[in-house]
Amino acid sequence: MARVLLILLGGAVILQADLLPDETLSLLPPVNFTIKVAGLAQVLLRWEPNPDQEQMNIKLGYHVKINAPQEDEFETRSTESKHVSILHQGFSASVRTIPWHNHTLRASSWVSAELKAPPGSPGTSIVNLTCTTNTVATNYTHLQPYQVSLHCTWLVGKDAPEDTQYFLYYRYGSQTEECQEYSQDTLKRKNACWFPRAFIHSKGHDWLAVHVNGSSKHTAIKPFDQLFALHAIDQVNPPVNVTAGIEGTRLSIRWEKPVSAFPAHCFDYEVKIYNMRKGYFQTANMTTSEFTSTIRDISKYSIQVRAAVRSVCRAAGLWSKWSQPIDVGTDEPKPWTEWFLLVLMTTACIVFILSLVCRRCHLWTKLFPPVPAPKSSIKDFVVNVNYEKSGSGETEIEVISYVEEPELEVLEDFVF
């Protein structure tokens, strides 16, 4: 009986060993690897498992490597993958089979595929492509109260013929749209495009793909692709309803959040205060929609505020433009007539108060004591002439009398 059990146990061990993969066994590479254009600046990578791969009790995955135009790599268990990339320079990638968990097995060899660059003469594609988005309010629906506009500009290729015309397309998510409103240079070649209402989600995180191709009677125009991150090109609106006031030495500034799909807590603000009399700036950063400062001199101030979306709500991006300046305070000096009247009234009040004090306390007598009058060596006298008539008035008698006045020893007090 024991011998039978040992035989059965040995057979189970041999069977289990046969099921385990050979650590020296290499996996086989995928087959039918293809790269196809799936949209503007987007490719679809697709492959199939190798049919000759032995069925083993392990999970298989795939290691994908992007070789050009920009190196990247990732792992997946799927047999297809979409990848966003510029395509005007071509595209190439490689894939191999890997064990998903058991890393003791060796990965397969690489298989590669390539997407050729589109035709076109060198120097004919556009250069310096720049795009910006902006959010505006709309009353179309409460579910979508905001819409996004897109504006792109570029320069004509240095070797592009004079009859070259460019055409711009953008893709965001699954939406693709061709430009309908262009601007032109002096040779009537298109060099800018405007989408007043684009299918772009202002709070989204997808790449914005822009493609520009062209046509000419003289040569093939090479196309151009570029990818934009929304947070890097979104032109945030400035704050609205900015108000400012001065109460005593307190300067208070208030505003409301910009027109945006982002809520109020998603904004950083910067306040700029310009002292117009002294000619210097003061700036302050904050996350609230009000600012208070103490001012120590009389002046006229110019106030501006700008905003940016906070990193807690989206990757850091551009600051908005400054709000329209508003002025508070005054730096106009008082007219000279007002100063003269003020000084005159102040002087009159002081003189009046001093005169009352001097009259009450006899300060003038104490400050300026009386000076004795000098004695004269010749006595003063007063001559009184009386004319009397005697008799019938034929004879007139002149009577002269001398009256000696007492000497004035002391001058009487005089009050000013």
Side-chain angles (χ1 to χ4, degrees):
M1 184 66 180
R3 184 178 298 177
V4 174
L5 290 176
L6 289 175
I7 293 174
L8 293 175
L9 181 61
V13 171
I14 293 173
L15 180 61
Q16 185 176 1
D18 291 339
L19 291 176
L20 291 175
D22 186 357
E23 293 185 359
T24 63
L25 179 65
S26 295
L27 299 177
L28 298 178
V31 296
N32 298 330
F33 180 37
T34 59
I35 301 176
K36 295 183 178 180
V37 176
L40 295 182
Q42 188 178 56
V43 292
L44 175 64
L45 311 179
R46 180 176 290 168
W47 58 90
E48 296 177 2
N50 195 310
D52 298 330
Q53 181 69 59
E54 295 183 11
Q55 296 297 324
M56 296 180 294
N57 191 23
I58 59 173
K59 293 182 179 180
L60 299 180
Y62 302 96
H63 181 192
V64 182
K65 181 185 292 184
I66 309 300
N67 302 317
Q70 186 174 357
E71 292 186 355
D72 191 14
E73 58 182 311
F74 58 91
E75 294 180 353
T76 178
R77 292 205 64 200
S78 176
T79 56
E80 67 178 29
S81 176
K82 282 187 177 181
H83 188 76
V84 176
S85 173
I86 60 174
L87 301 178
H88 65 273
Q89 297 175 349
F91 185 90
S92 67
S94 302
V95 62
R96 66 178 179 176
T97 307
I98 60 173
W100 194 247
H101 294 300
N102 189 350
H103 296 288
T104 59
L105 291 175
R106 289 182 299 177
S108 74
S109 59
W110 292 97
V111 292
S112 301
E114 183 181 10
L115 192 66
K116 297 293 185 180
S121 301
T124 59
S125 62
I126 65 167
V127 294
N128 295 345
L129 174 64
T130 59
C131 294
T132 57
T133 59
N134 182 249
T135 302
V136 295
T138 177
N139 296 323
Y140 293 153
T141 173
H142 294 291
L143 298 177
Q144 190 177 358
Y146 303 100
Q147 68 182 36
V148 177
S149 64
L150 174 65
H151 182 245
C152 296
T153 61
W154 60 87
L155 297 179
V156 175
K158 61 183 181 64
D159 296 325
E162 292 185 358
D163 69 334
T164 301
Q165 288 297 344
Y166 294 107
F167 306 95
L168 182 142
Y169 305 79
Y170 82 86
R171 180 186 61 80
Y172 185 77
S174 61
Q175 296 287 340
T176 301
E177 189 176 7
E178 179 182 0
C179 181
Q180 302 297 325
E181 298 185 24
Y182 289 99
S183 299
Q184 298 178 334
D185 62 11
T186 55
L187 297 178
K188 295 186 177 181
R189 296 178 297 188
K190 300 171 183 176
N191 61 359
C193 169
W194 165 252
F195 293 89
R197 186 183 183 189
F199 296 100
I200 298 174
H201 196 302
S202 58
K203 296 170 65 177
H205 301 282
D206 292 338
W207 287 97
L208 172 67
V210 178
H211 172 86
V212 182
N213 57 30
S215 63
S216 171
K217 295 180 181 179
H218 304 285
T219 186
I221 305 300
K222 193 172 182 64
F224 181 83
D225 297 325
Q226 189 164 336
L227 298 174
F228 296 94
L230 285 186
H231 70 271
I233 65 170
D234 185 28
Q235 185 63 63
V236 180
N237 292 305
V240 297
N241 297 333
V242 181
T243 59
I246 296 177
E247 296 182 4
T249 60
R250 181 175 179 177
L251 172 62
S252 299
I253 308 170
R254 290 181 175 84
W255 59 89
E256 296 179 8
K257 86 173 188 73
V259 174
S260 173
F262 288 96
H265 71 271
C266 284
F267 290 95
D268 289 322
Y269 298 101
E270 184 175 16
V271 178
K272 181 170 65 175
I273 305 173
Y274 177 60
N275 188 316
M276 302 177 71
R277 185 169 66 87
K278 293 187 176 180
Y280 71 85
F281 289 97
Q282 173 190 353
T283 59
N285 294 85
M286 64 212 62
T287 58
T288 60
S289 58
E290 60 180 343
F291 174 75
T292 302
S293 178
T294 301
I295 55 177
R296 293 181 174 83
D297 57 343
I298 298 175
S299 178
K300 192 172 186 178
Y301 297 91
S302 179
I303 311 297
Q304 290 179 287
V305 187
R306 64 178 182 175
V309 179
R310 299 180 64 188
S311 58
V312 296
C313 298
R314 187 181 68 180
L318 304 173
W319 281 96
S320 72
K321 295 181 179 179
W322 290 102
S323 62
Q324 291 295 322
I326 59 172
D327 298 337
V328 293
T330 179
D331 59 354
E332 297 181 358
K334 293 181 179 295
W336 70 269
T337 53
E338 294 185 14
W339 286 111
F340 177 76
L341 292 175
L342 182 62
V343 172
L344 183 62
M345 293 177 62
T346 303
T347 304
C349 291
I350 294 174
V351 170
F352 178 72
I353 294 173
L354 288 177
S355 65
L356 291 178
V357 173
C358 292
R359 185 178 183 88
R360 184 174 183 85
C361 302
H362 301 285
L363 290 180
W364 288 114
T365 303
K366 295 177 181 179
L367 293 175
F368 306 101
V371 179
K375 295 184 178 180
S376 177
S377 58
I378 302 174
K379 293 183 178 181
D380 296 328
F381 62 92
V382 178
V383 179
N384 294 328
V385 179
N386 295 322
Y387 293 94
E388 297 181 358
K389 289 184 179 182
S390 59
S392 60
E394 294 179 358
T395 304
E396 293 183 353
I397 300 174
E398 183 179 358
V399 179
I400 300 176
S401 59
Y402 296 89
V403 179
E404 185 176 354
E405 297 288 337
E407 295 181 356
L408 299 176
E409 297 294 337
V410 181
L411 293 175
E412 295 182 358
D413 291 346
F414 182 82
V415 178
F416 292 90

